[in-house]
């Protein structure tokens, strides 16, 4: 059975997203947004969540999908699990943040 593994940078981003949403729109909205993200993560394996390959300009292999205002980057781990690498807001400079989170 494939498992979803939230990697360190993605975990930090989830905390930031929850904190920002909670402060801006309240706890119920923050909880709904995070729950929706986790439902999207679970949909990767069943293709319910449609992903595209990461563009070659990023210099790594993996996939991404959009969830509302965020882009979720993930890759298949050596054991077959799904590794959620990072989650970036649509306004963040994608390549710079992405490289940092992938350790490039």
């Amino acid at each position: 059975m494939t498992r979803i593994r939230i990697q360190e940078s993605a975990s930090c981003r989830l905390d930031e997203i929850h904190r920002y949403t909670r402060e801006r729109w309240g706890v119920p909205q923050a909880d709904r947004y995070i729950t929706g993200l986790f439902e999207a993560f679970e949909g990767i394996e069943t293709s319910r969540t449609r992903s595209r390959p990461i563009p070659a300009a990023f210099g790594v292999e993996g996939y991404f999908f959009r969830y509302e205002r965020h882009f979720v980057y993930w890759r298949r781990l050596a054991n077959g699990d799904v590794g959620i690498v990072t989650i970036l807001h649509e306004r963040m400079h994608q390549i710079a943040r992405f490289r940092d989170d992938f350790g490039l």
Side-chain angles (χ1 to χ4, degrees):
M1 178 174 159
T2 301
R3 295 178 56 123
I4 304 298
R5 305 282 184 183
I6 309 298
Q7 299 183 325
E8 186 176 346
S9 58
S11 180
C12 291
R13 300 273 191 249
L14 284 167
D15 290 343
E16 291 168 3
I17 291 165
H18 191 273
R19 186 173 28 261
Y20 176 83
T21 306
R22 183 186 69 229
E23 290 169 1
R24 192 93 179 179
W25 294 285
V27 172
Q29 179 60 33
D31 290 349
R32 273 193 299 277
Y33 199 83
I34 296 299
T35 297
L37 275 166
F38 274 88
E39 288 170 354
F41 300 162
E42 293 294 328
I44 291 170
E45 194 59 33
T46 62
S47 298
R48 188 179 74 239
T49 300
R50 293 184 179 226
S51 297
R52 295 185 288 177
I54 294 172
F58 285 68
V60 297
E61 293 205 18
Y63 303 90
F64 75 99
F65 65 89
R66 184 180 182 118
Y67 177 80
E68 296 191 21
R69 301 267 184 200
H70 288 87
F71 289 94
V72 176
Y73 294 91
W74 65 275
R75 62 181 161 199
R76 187 71 61 182
L77 302 176
N79 66 357
D81 289 348
V82 170
I84 305 298
V85 177
T86 194
I87 305 161
L88 301 176
H89 190 274
E90 66 188 1
R91 285 189 263 168
M92 289 179 170
H93 186 257
Q94 300 292 309
I95 292 177
R97 296 280 181 129
F98 181 85
R99 288 185 188 283
D100 289 344
D101 290 346
F102 266 86
L104 300 175

